[in-house]
Amino acid sequence: VVDIYGKRIVIAWPDNLVENIEDISIDAKIRVRKPYYLVSNEWKSGKTIVNVGGVEIGGSRIVVAAGPCAVEDEDILMEIAKAVKRAGASILRGGAYKPRTSPYSFQGLGEKGLKILKRVSEAVGLPVVTEVMDTRDVELVKSYADMIQIGARNSQNFTLLREVGRAKIPVLLKRGFGMTVEEWLLAAEYILSEGNGDVVLCERGIRTFEKSTRFTIDIGGMVIAKMQTHLPIAADPSHPAGNRDLVEPLALAAIVAGADMLIVEVHANPSKALSDSEQQLTVEMFEKLMKRLKAVAEAIGRSI
Amino acid sequence: VVDIYGKRIVIAWPDNLVENIEDISIDAKIRVRKPYYLVSNEWKSGKTIVNVGGVEIGGSRIVVAAGPCAVEDEDILMEIAKAVKRAGASILRGGAYKPRTSPYSFQGLGEKGLKILKRVSEAVGLPVVTEVMDTRDVELVKSYADMIQIGARNSQNFTLLREVGRAKIPVLLKRGFGMTVEEWLLAAEYILSEGNGDVVLCERGIRTFEKSTRFTIDIGGMVIAKMQTHLPIAADPSHPAGNRDLVEPLALAAIVAGADMLIVEVHANPSKALSDSEQQLTVEMFEKLMKRLKAVAEAIGRSI
Amino acid sequence: VVDIYGKRIVIAWPDNLVENIEDISIDAKIRVRKPYYLVSNEWKSGKTIVNVGGVEIGGSRIVVAAGPCAVEDEDILMEIAKAVKRAGASILRGGAYKPRTSPYSFQGLGEKGLKILKRVSEAVGLPVVTEVMDTRDVELVKSYADMIQIGARNSQNFTLLREVGRAKIPVLLKRGFGMTVEEWLLAAEYILSEGNGDVVLCERGIRTFEKSTRFTIDIGGMVIAKMQTHLPIAADPSHPAGNRDLVEPLALAAIVAGADMLIVEVHANPSKALSDSEQQLTVEMFEKLMKRLKAVAEAIGRSI
Amino acid sequence: VVDIYGKRIVIAWPDNLVENIEDISIDAKIRVRKPYYLVSNEWKSGKTIVNVGGVEIGGSRIVVAAGPCAVEDEDILMEIAKAVKRAGASILRGGAYKPRTSPYSFQGLGEKGLKILKRVSEAVGLPVVTEVMDTRDVELVKSYADMIQIGARNSQNFTLLREVGRAKIPVLLKRGFGMTVEEWLLAAEYILSEGNGDVVLCERGIRTFEKSTRFTIDIGGMVIAKMQTHLPIAADPSHPAGNRDLVEPLALAAIVAGADMLIVEVHANPSKALSDSEQQLTVEMFEKLMKRLKAVAEAIGRSI
């Protein structure tokens, strides 16, 4: 039994255990054609708006979240936050828990980073999105952040998905780089099936044979997802780029293809960043990006 | 020795046979850092404009080629050609030789198709781009077409690349679906190394694990190619889509990311087409696409 | 500071925070050429033997773990366990916590399943390997199992990797289907860096464009991993197969290419299995597989 | 109408043009479930044996073709040919026409190379397989070679496939690195549909995100192909390896998974080879490989 979008729903599934199916009400014994149900726009036709600290994602206005890859220092973050707000960003991003390929790389500041994020957020007036990596940290992160990010490497960490579902906080769900569009929708279904309908799906590039970019942004897959679901769609142009010169064309491409939100890495001094230094935009590049995004958004009948 | 862009060039390569290197003039004994040379914008900084029957590709104006997947019938082609011209297309596309996965599928009309293309081209006033698949057909196709297309499956058919290089006719070089960006540039280098500098590189989607679209359009790879070469870049949004509803978002994405040309499949009655019926646009959809393309092109300071 | 393989080690890393580097002893200030260190056979040249309830993995004898995809029922598991032991398996596999793509699929019996596994393990005399999905469950699973499996979808769940590192129990680390060989070794490095050196790396297929098999078993990547590390290498021929007729050829291929262990799905009645019914072997097929494995193992100078 | 395997066949296809279907005899108006027909083992159940200069491919005995990547010099080729024959190879390989990614790399000796191949072949007593890249060269290559290779980059060069079909000479058809198993079978169907039934399908690695090997040998896809067709299956362990240390494990894996033939690059002095120097085996490595292949072949009830 799920309480979601003001409704009480019971979902039956062909291969559920028989004992689970017994206590199911009649109207829910629908044999759905697709493996996902609550995320499908066949079930909920109107677009869902996700409210993050007063910022609405999924409406006509395109939302831009910006900030450094990782929270490193309060002064630097304050400088970046003010700059991205001035340029038009409406959400601040920054990692306190960093999923790093190597155990010897900088792993983030943890709760210290969350506290910095919170203070900067309040000082500058931008809600905050930050990543959580462990089921045990969900409540802690929720107490500091306005939106929780599930990163690409945890996109099929099903116990974590259930936990953020139960936490009832807006979730930015990155697509795993080895994940199909259907699996991505099913990962969101895990969150919704716990009663949390505030999910934004974020394309961030898949892994392909092509290595001239860090990942291959799957614009077509993003469009397919948008055709299937009522949830808002975001794009992260920074991670597939792997190189700051590519961020702008990928961001523009995502917007005209239908993205409702962008999440962009910006740093006051990218070359000194402790992670992802190659792909973080300078503040000047971000300002230029925002101008071009505004022009293109207007051309497709949206705003930023 | 290559005569290209008004210059006479001799290229030396580290692993060339010694006897070839002996008769090389001094200024060409450059040890290039990249495996390609003539296509590189380190060698030729200004953007190359490719002139196809009076239509300039690579300038500020974005060029749209449109038409059916295959030439099937003169009346139908005439109807499509008039419609796409009215909507703003400036080149007519249509296949007379069709590379089909199965030997039992419709293989195209061959020379009969070329003749139809030529008559329609002249009647409507649109130059023609059409595919060639065999070295023995290059001269024949050249006598009917304004631009020759090398399809994805022949993108590393090196003897065909050399032959169209020698034919000195504009070439639309599709990227193979299993080909890296570097190999794509090297395929173009084969054509340029025969003295034909009129090459347009066309991204048409790569093969990845994601199957919700027919191919994965590699917007990032297209941008990387554009950063490396002086040659114009095109995109084919129809083949990666595999579904006509995806063509518009992919076309818009390609344009804002920097494509100089689009090649779009349009059919008067797609459901009756002998090939690719799922992905060809109706005339009405193409008209709507052109309107949105114009708005977006203006937003990035270009025209259509 | 890591205590591993009877040594006390301090590892310095170029991009570590300066405050961490300060308290480092001299002999560890090695600038390693590769991003991983403890898993590398440049550091530890002798092959590591992992002991799982008395069964040695990594020696001349090839170890076969077999059992159902999921623990469903005690009687069925007992029947399967006896059969696979009789056929030559030396470890019992079976999932109590199942990572399922859909939240509505059978999710495993949880602790009830662990208890069944433990009783069957003791009755039949086979140590048990089973998966853990949540950091909060590691201690519980450890109290029932002889070896913990980290599944493909959690292969970059770094907090879980650290937790099984601290648990000091043998770990079967599946390679993620979107994970490079280097990232796989780095995932193991997370476990070793917590002082747990009992890790077996398990290839289970990567995601590629080819869809005639469920995943593409990467025999070459498995060989590369074996060349780089002192840890034992396993292969799972069931998941890439996705079809029981393919399990035998893939298992044989993995063995001759150097796998030290196989983990195979076997069910008494695969068509009634609650998950992966297509790829589980029948007992008869498993007996035939073991005979062929023995013949091939001998041909390469090993035993089963 | 196709004359093949001693039968006269007419094939009808659902989407054929109506005018083509008219002159078709009744017994061939079969609506096949799969897109390929002549290559299918549903149509021809017995395994096909392809005879190459007296060497039978597809029987119980596994055939090994070996030789240098490219023909460079008659003395070197003679030395290699004698060595590989002594070690147990029964076919000589060597390229006269080389498909090279760069136009400036060594392109092969052309007809001069074919003549060297022919003389060495006759002197040593090994039939020859060599690649053809251009429809115009098929007759020439046929006059020197016992088997024609279609390389990975020409695997969907359909006019070339038809031409070697008409040439009625044994064909080694490499799988393209971006090609599905179904497309590979359809490429063979092109050759068979011209009446040439002597085709051996050769797996040589596909392109995936994993870059620790040059290509990813698709053992599973090779097994699927073998399950679908009556044609013999070969494997090329050299190109996916990209590194000579990987050739042996990949060769062994291919054999136990069911390959009927191997094609291996061997050079008397690999470090001086004009192409693929990293992956060619030394003669000593090839001798060791042959010994291990023999042991493993016997273990699966075959011989070499």
Side-chain angles (χ1 to χ4, degrees):
Chain A
V1 183
V2 187
D3 287 293
I4 192 166
Y5 305 126
K7 292 184 184 165
R8 188 167 201 104
I9 299 164
V10 187
I11 303 162
W13 197 253
D15 72 337
N16 252 350
L17 286 180
V18 178
E19 62 252 272
N20 293 344
I21 295 174
E22 274 168 10
D23 59 324
I24 273 170
S25 70
I26 290 167
D27 66 71
K29 283 186 181 172
I30 300 157
R31 300 239 165 188
V32 279
R33 289 180 300 115
K34 295 180 182 170
Y36 45 85
Y37 182 63
L38 297 174
V39 303
S40 167
N41 58 13
E42 294 181 13
W43 170 71
K44 177 177 185 295
S45 54
K47 290 287 169 195
T48 292
I49 305 285
V50 175
N51 187 312
V52 175
V55 176
E56 294 194 336
I57 304 166
S60 166
R61 188 164 161 252
I62 293 162
V63 171
V64 179
C69 176
V71 177
E72 298 165 353
D73 171 279
E74 187 157 348
D75 290 344
I76 294 174
L77 185 65
M78 189 72 79
E79 181 188 346
I80 298 170
K82 285 178 182 169
V84 298
K85 188 182 185 190
R86 202 166 43 231
S90 44
I91 298 180
L92 178 65
R93 65 147 289 155
Y97 298 94
K98 298 298 305 170
R100 300 305 300 275
T101 306
S102 166
Y104 310 124
S105 300
F106 173 56
Q107 306 276 317
L109 299 179
E111 190 172 2
K112 184 182 161 197
L114 294 175
K115 285 180 178 167
I116 293 174
L117 269 174
K118 184 71 174 173
R119 283 195 297 267
V120 171
S121 163
E122 289 178 346
V124 177
L126 287 177
V128 155
V129 56
T130 197
E131 181 162 355
V132 68
M133 293 168 61
D134 191 323
T135 47
R136 296 171 300 194
D137 295 332
V138 172
E139 283 307 311
L140 181 75
V141 175
K142 183 184 171 183
S143 69
Y144 291 105
D146 302 281
M147 184 179 214
I148 280 182
Q149 176 178 311
I150 300 291
R153 288 165 187 77
N154 280 307
S155 54
Q156 290 192 306
N157 178 343
F158 300 119
T159 60
L160 184 60
L161 295 174
R162 286 197 190 280
E163 200 70 33
V164 298
R166 284 190 283 268
K168 306 276 162 61
I169 177 175
V171 177
L172 184 73
L173 176 63
K174 293 275 188 98
R175 177 182 180 187
F177 45 70
M179 198 184 212
T180 64
V181 169
E182 184 175 297
E183 289 173 343
W184 187 24
L185 293 168
L186 280 162
E189 186 83 11
Y190 264 93
I191 302 171
L192 269 67
S193 71
E194 296 292 336
N196 185 353
D198 289 331
V199 176
V200 178
L201 294 162
C202 184
E203 162 65 21
R204 48 78 72 211
I206 58 173
R207 203 158 250 178
T208 72
F209 68 81
E210 178 56 54
K211 298 298 172 196
S212 65
T213 52
R214 191 169 170 198
F215 293 95
T216 301
I217 193 167
D218 183 10
I219 296 289
M222 189 189 83
V223 175
I224 292 286
K226 182 148 182 156
M227 286 175 174
Q228 312 274 352
T229 187
H230 53 85
L231 297 170
I233 304 286
D236 168 356
S238 303
H239 283 86
N243 168 347
R244 66 181 61 83
D245 291 330
L246 255 77
V247 173
E248 182 180 298
L250 299 188
L252 292 169
I255 285 301
V256 295
D260 300 300
M261 175 183 175
L262 289 176
I263 179 162
V264 182
E265 290 189 351
V266 180
H267 197 283
N269 193 344
S271 64
K272 291 204 177 159
L274 295 176
S275 56
D276 285 357
S277 73
E278 293 300 315
Q279 76 201 23
Q280 301 197 53
L281 294 187
T282 61
V283 169
E284 292 68 32
M285 291 178 86
F286 182 67
E287 289 167 348
K288 177 170 161 287
L289 169 64
M290 289 302 290
K291 276 181 198 139
R292 302 206 75 185
L293 284 173
K294 277 171 198 167
V296 164
E298 276 166 32
I300 58 167
R302 300 184 78 168
S303 62
I304 277 189
Chain B
V1 183
V2 187
D3 286 293
I4 192 165
Y5 306 126
K7 293 181 186 167
R8 188 166 202 105
I9 300 164
V10 186
I11 304 162
W13 197 251
D15 72 336
N16 252 348
L17 287 180
V18 178
E19 61 254 81
N20 292 345
I21 296 173
E22 274 168 11
D23 58 324
I24 272 169
S25 70
I26 289 166
D27 66 70
K29 283 186 182 171
I30 300 157
R31 299 239 165 188
V32 280
R33 289 180 299 115
K34 296 180 182 171
Y36 45 85
Y37 181 63
L38 298 174
V39 303
S40 167
N41 58 13
E42 294 182 11
W43 171 70
K44 178 177 184 296
S45 53
K47 289 287 168 194
T48 292
I49 305 285
V50 175
N51 188 311
V52 176
V55 177
E56 293 195 337
I57 304 167
S60 166
R61 187 165 162 250
I62 293 161
V63 171
V64 179
C69 176
V71 178
E72 298 164 353
D73 172 278
E74 186 156 349
D75 291 344
I76 294 174
L77 186 65
M78 190 71 80
E79 182 187 346
I80 298 169
K82 286 177 181 170
V84 300
K85 189 182 185 189
R86 201 165 44 230
S90 45
I91 298 179
L92 178 65
R93 65 148 287 154
Y97 298 94
K98 298 298 305 169
R100 300 305 299 275
T101 307
S102 166
Y104 310 124
S105 300
F106 173 57
Q107 307 275 319
L109 299 179
E111 189 172 2
K112 185 183 161 196
L114 294 175
K115 286 179 177 166
I116 293 174
L117 269 174
K118 185 72 174 173
R119 284 195 297 269
V120 171
S121 163
E122 289 178 347
V124 177
L126 287 177
V128 155
V129 57
T130 197
E131 181 162 355
V132 68
M133 293 168 61
D134 192 323
T135 46
R136 296 170 299 194
D137 296 331
V138 171
E139 283 305 311
L140 181 75
V141 175
K142 183 184 172 183
S143 69
Y144 291 104
D146 302 283
M147 183 181 214
I148 279 182
Q149 177 179 312
I150 300 292
R153 288 165 186 78
N154 281 307
S155 53
Q156 291 192 306
N157 179 343
F158 300 118
T159 59
L160 184 60
L161 295 174
R162 287 196 190 278
E163 200 71 33
V164 298
R166 285 190 282 266
K168 305 276 161 66
I169 177 175
V171 178
L172 185 71
L173 176 63
K174 293 274 189 100
R175 177 181 178 187
F177 44 71
M179 198 183 213
T180 63
V181 169
E182 184 174 299
E183 289 173 343
W184 186 24
L185 293 168
L186 280 163
E189 186 83 11
Y190 265 93
I191 303 172
L192 270 66
S193 71
E194 296 292 336
N196 184 354
D198 290 331
V199 176
V200 178
L201 293 161
C202 184
E203 163 64 23
R204 49 77 72 211
I206 58 173
R207 202 157 249 178
T208 72
F209 67 80
E210 178 56 53
K211 297 299 173 194
S212 66
T213 52
R214 191 170 170 198
F215 294 95
T216 301
I217 193 167
D218 182 10
I219 296 289
M222 188 190 82
V223 176
I224 291 287
K226 183 149 180 154
M227 287 175 174
Q228 312 275 352
T229 187
H230 53 85
L231 297 170
I233 304 286
D236 167 356
S238 302
H239 283 86
N243 167 347
R244 67 181 59 83
D245 292 330
L246 255 77
V247 174
E248 182 179 300
L250 299 189
L252 292 169
I255 286 301
V256 294
D260 299 301
M261 174 184 176
L262 290 175
I263 179 161
V264 183
E265 290 189 352
V266 180
H267 197 283
N269 193 344
S271 63
K272 291 204 176 158
L274 294 176
S275 56
D276 284 357
S277 72
E278 293 300 314
Q279 77 202 21
Q280 300 196 52
L281 295 186
T282 61
V283 168
E284 292 68 32
M285 291 177 86
F286 181 69
E287 289 167 347
K288 177 170 161 286
L289 169 63
M290 288 301 291
K291 276 180 198 140
R292 301 207 76 185
L293 284 174
K294 277 170 198 167
V296 164
E298 277 167 31
I300 57 166
R302 300 184 77 168
S303 63
I304 277 189
Chain C
V1 183
V2 187
D3 287 292
I4 192 164
Y5 306 126
K7 292 181 185 167
R8 188 166 203 105
I9 300 164
V10 186
I11 303 161
W13 198 252
D15 71 337
N16 251 349
L17 287 181
V18 178
E19 61 252 273
N20 292 344
I21 296 174
E22 274 169 10
D23 58 324
I24 272 168
S25 70
I26 289 167
D27 67 71
K29 282 186 183 171
I30 300 157
R31 299 238 166 189
V32 280
R33 290 180 300 115
K34 295 179 183 172
Y36 45 85
Y37 181 62
L38 298 174
V39 303
S40 166
N41 58 13
E42 294 183 11
W43 170 70
K44 177 178 185 293
S45 53
K47 288 287 169 195
T48 292
I49 306 285
V50 175
N51 188 311
V52 175
V55 177
E56 293 194 339
I57 304 166
S60 167
R61 188 164 161 251
I62 293 161
V63 171
V64 178
C69 176
V71 178
E72 298 165 353
D73 172 278
E74 186 156 348
D75 290 345
I76 294 174
L77 185 66
M78 190 71 80
E79 181 187 347
I80 298 170
K82 286 177 181 169
V84 299
K85 188 182 185 189
R86 202 166 42 232
S90 45
I91 298 180
L92 178 65
R93 63 148 290 154
Y97 298 94
K98 299 297 306 169
R100 301 304 300 275
T101 306
S102 166
Y104 311 125
S105 300
F106 174 57
Q107 305 276 320
L109 298 179
E111 189 172 2
K112 186 183 160 196
L114 294 175
K115 286 178 177 166
I116 294 174
L117 269 174
K118 184 72 174 172
R119 283 195 297 269
V120 171
S121 163
E122 290 177 348
V124 177
L126 286 178
V128 155
V129 57
T130 196
E131 180 162 356
V132 67
M133 292 168 61
D134 192 323
T135 47
R136 297 169 301 193
D137 296 331
V138 171
E139 282 306 311
L140 181 75
V141 174
K142 184 185 172 182
S143 69
Y144 291 105
D146 302 284
M147 184 180 214
I148 280 183
Q149 176 180 311
I150 300 292
R153 288 165 186 80
N154 280 307
S155 54
Q156 290 192 306
N157 178 344
F158 300 118
T159 60
L160 184 60
L161 295 174
R162 287 196 189 279
E163 200 70 32
V164 298
R166 285 189 284 266
K168 306 275 162 63
I169 178 174
V171 178
L172 184 71
L173 176 63
K174 294 273 189 99
R175 178 182 178 188
F177 45 71
M179 199 183 213
T180 63
V181 169
E182 184 175 298
E183 288 172 344
W184 187 24
L185 293 168
L186 280 163
E189 185 83 10
Y190 264 94
I191 303 172
L192 269 68
S193 71
E194 296 292 336
N196 184 352
D198 289 331
V199 176
V200 178
L201 293 162
C202 183
E203 164 64 22
R204 48 78 73 209
I206 58 173
R207 202 157 250 176
T208 72
F209 67 81
E210 178 55 54
K211 298 298 174 194
S212 65
T213 51
R214 191 170 170 198
F215 293 96
T216 301
I217 193 167
D218 183 9
I219 296 290
M222 189 189 83
V223 176
I224 292 286
K226 182 149 182 154
M227 287 175 175
Q228 312 275 352
T229 187
H230 54 84
L231 298 170
I233 304 286
D236 167 356
S238 303
H239 283 86
N243 168 346
R244 66 180 60 83
D245 292 331
L246 255 77
V247 173
E248 182 180 298
L250 298 189
L252 292 169
I255 286 300
V256 296
D260 300 300
M261 174 184 178
L262 289 176
I263 179 161
V264 182
E265 290 189 352
V266 180
H267 197 283
N269 193 344
S271 64
K272 291 203 177 160
L274 296 176
S275 56
D276 283 356
S277 73
E278 293 300 314
Q279 77 201 23
Q280 301 197 52
L281 295 186
T282 62
V283 168
E284 293 68 32
M285 290 178 87
F286 182 68
E287 290 167 348
K288 176 169 161 288
L289 169 64
M290 289 301 291
K291 275 180 200 141
R292 303 206 75 186
L293 284 174
K294 277 170 198 168
V296 164
E298 277 166 33
I300 57 166
R302 301 185 76 168
S303 63
I304 276 188
Chain D
V1 183
V2 186
D3 287 292
I4 192 165
Y5 305 126
K7 293 183 185 166
R8 188 167 203 106
I9 300 163
V10 187
I11 304 160
W13 197 251
D15 72 337
N16 252 348
L17 286 181
V18 179
E19 62 252 83
N20 293 344
I21 296 174
E22 273 168 11
D23 58 325
I24 273 169
S25 71
I26 289 167
D27 67 71
K29 283 185 181 174
I30 300 158
R31 298 238 168 190
V32 281
R33 290 180 299 114
K34 294 179 183 170
Y36 45 85
Y37 181 62
L38 298 173
V39 303
S40 167
N41 58 13
E42 294 182 13
W43 170 70
K44 178 176 185 294
S45 53
K47 289 287 168 194
T48 292
I49 305 284
V50 174
N51 188 309
V52 176
V55 176
E56 293 194 338
I57 304 167
S60 166
R61 186 162 163 255
I62 293 161
V63 172
V64 178
C69 176
V71 177
E72 298 164 354
D73 172 278
E74 186 156 347
D75 291 344
I76 294 175
L77 186 65
M78 190 71 79
E79 181 186 348
I80 298 170
K82 286 178 182 168
V84 299
K85 189 182 185 190
R86 201 166 44 231
S90 44
I91 297 180
L92 178 65
R93 64 148 289 155
Y97 298 94
K98 300 297 305 170
R100 301 305 299 275
T101 305
S102 165
Y104 310 124
S105 300
F106 174 54
Q107 306 276 320
L109 298 179
E111 189 171 2
K112 185 183 161 196
L114 294 175
K115 286 179 177 165
I116 293 174
L117 269 174
K118 184 71 174 173
R119 283 196 297 267
V120 171
S121 163
E122 289 178 346
V124 177
L126 287 178
V128 156
V129 56
T130 196
E131 180 162 357
V132 69
M133 293 169 60
D134 191 324
T135 46
R136 296 170 299 194
D137 296 331
V138 172
E139 283 306 311
L140 180 75
V141 174
K142 184 184 172 183
S143 70
Y144 291 105
D146 302 282
M147 183 179 215
I148 280 182
Q149 177 179 310
I150 300 291
R153 288 165 186 78
N154 280 308
S155 55
Q156 291 193 305
N157 179 342
F158 300 118
T159 59
L160 184 61
L161 295 173
R162 287 196 189 280
E163 200 71 32
V164 298
R166 283 190 284 267
K168 304 277 163 62
I169 177 173
V171 178
L172 184 72
L173 176 63
K174 292 275 188 99
R175 176 182 180 188
F177 45 71
M179 199 184 212
T180 64
V181 169
E182 184 175 299
E183 288 172 343
W184 187 24
L185 293 168
L186 280 162
E189 186 84 10
Y190 264 93
I191 302 171
L192 270 67
S193 71
E194 295 292 336
N196 184 353
D198 290 330
V199 176
V200 178
L201 293 162
C202 183
E203 163 65 22
R204 48 80 72 209
I206 59 173
R207 203 158 248 177
T208 72
F209 68 80
E210 178 56 53
K211 298 298 173 194
S212 65
T213 52
R214 190 169 170 199
F215 294 95
T216 301
I217 192 166
D218 183 10
I219 295 289
M222 189 190 83
V223 176
I224 291 286
K226 181 147 182 156
M227 287 175 173
Q228 313 274 352
T229 187
H230 53 85
L231 297 171
I233 303 286
D236 168 356
S238 303
H239 283 86
N243 167 348
R244 66 181 60 85
D245 292 329
L246 255 77
V247 173
E248 182 180 298
L250 299 189
L252 292 169
I255 286 300
V256 296
D260 300 300
M261 175 184 176
L262 290 176
I263 179 161
V264 183
E265 289 189 351
V266 180
H267 196 282
N269 192 345
S271 63
K272 291 204 177 158
L274 296 176
S275 56
D276 284 357
S277 73
E278 293 300 314
Q279 76 201 21
Q280 300 196 54
L281 295 187
T282 61
V283 168
E284 293 68 32
M285 291 178 86
F286 182 68
E287 289 167 348
K288 177 169 161 287
L289 169 64
M290 288 302 291
K291 275 181 199 140
R292 302 206 76 185
L293 284 173
K294 276 170 198 167
V296 164
E298 277 166 33
I300 57 166
R302 300 185 77 169
S303 63
I304 277 189

